[in-house]
Amino acid sequence: PNGKAGIGEHNSCRNPTGAREPWCYVRPTSDSPVIAAACGIPSCDATEPDSSDCYSSEDGGRSYRGTASQTADGVECQRWDEQTPHDHLNTPEANPDKGLEQNYCRNPSPDGAERFDQPWCYTTDPEQRWASCAVPECEGPTEGEECPEGQFKCQSTSQ
């Protein structure tokens, strides 16, 4: 550990040498004499759109964490922690990693559930159990906030 350029007594990804992307030291093995490896952190110019404004069609909106709370028809969404007017199993307690907060649109459906390919919610209309929400689909990677030259930012990935 040299304590210079952000490489202290830890093994975090850094880019003190101005390499193409951040890297970290790795322990060489008999199979691989490599002592440094790229970390795979995307650069700022490859960031994803803000997940609160739109949903990704790549995961069917499962990573959407915005605050939209109405269906595409303008019906208010039912709270995920309530069972009225519709009983359901998609509760915050049963699905703690799905972001089922308040009455926000989400897609807690399992991967591969073709019927649910975008954020949706149970509705407050007793005659309509659920509906897709008025959340636009993201158009693709966009430029996010500016990063200083040579710096990268971590991104969370969907579950």
Side-chain angles (χ1 to χ4, degrees):
N2 65 13
K4 295 181 184 175
I7 303 177
E9 292 190 23
H10 48 72
N11 196 22
S12 301
C13 292
R14 298 284 187 266
N15 192 2
T17 61
R20 196 178 91 244
E21 63 182 298
W23 55 274
C24 65
Y25 288 110
V26 295
R27 186 178 308 270
T29 65
S30 58
D31 296 335
S32 174
V34 175
I35 61 168
C39 295
I41 298 172
S43 65
C44 279
D45 60 359
T47 58
E48 293 297 315
D50 182 348
S51 64
S52 65
D53 296 337
C54 58
Y55 76 92
S56 169
S57 61
E58 289 182 26
D59 70 358
R62 287 170 187 80
S63 61
Y64 173 73
R65 294 297 181 266
T67 57
S69 60
Q70 288 189 346
T71 68
D73 296 330
V75 178
E76 188 74 18
C77 292
Q78 174 181 314
R79 288 182 60 94
W80 294 99
D81 59 356
E82 293 182 358
Q83 297 293 318
T84 304
H86 305 287
D87 290 344
H88 61 90
L89 300 176
N90 288 309
T91 63
E93 296 78 24
N95 300 284
D97 61 337
K98 305 287 183 175
L100 303 178
E101 302 165 357
Q102 300 188 36
N103 65 335
Y104 299 147
C105 298
R106 297 291 185 257
N107 185 357
S109 309
D111 288 337
E114 292 181 23
R115 184 174 180 188
F116 302 105
D117 61 355
Q118 67 184 79
W120 59 273
C121 67
Y122 295 105
T123 76
T124 53
D125 178 351
E127 302 297 316
Q128 183 181 24
R129 182 169 172 77
W130 69 273
S132 295
C133 289
V135 178
E137 183 178 338
C138 299
E139 294 181 17
T142 60
E143 285 197 34
E145 63 186 68
E146 291 295 316
C147 287
E149 187 169 330
Q151 291 189 12
F152 296 75
K153 70 181 183 184
C154 298
Q155 297 177 344
S156 60
T157 56
S158 59
Q159 306 289 18

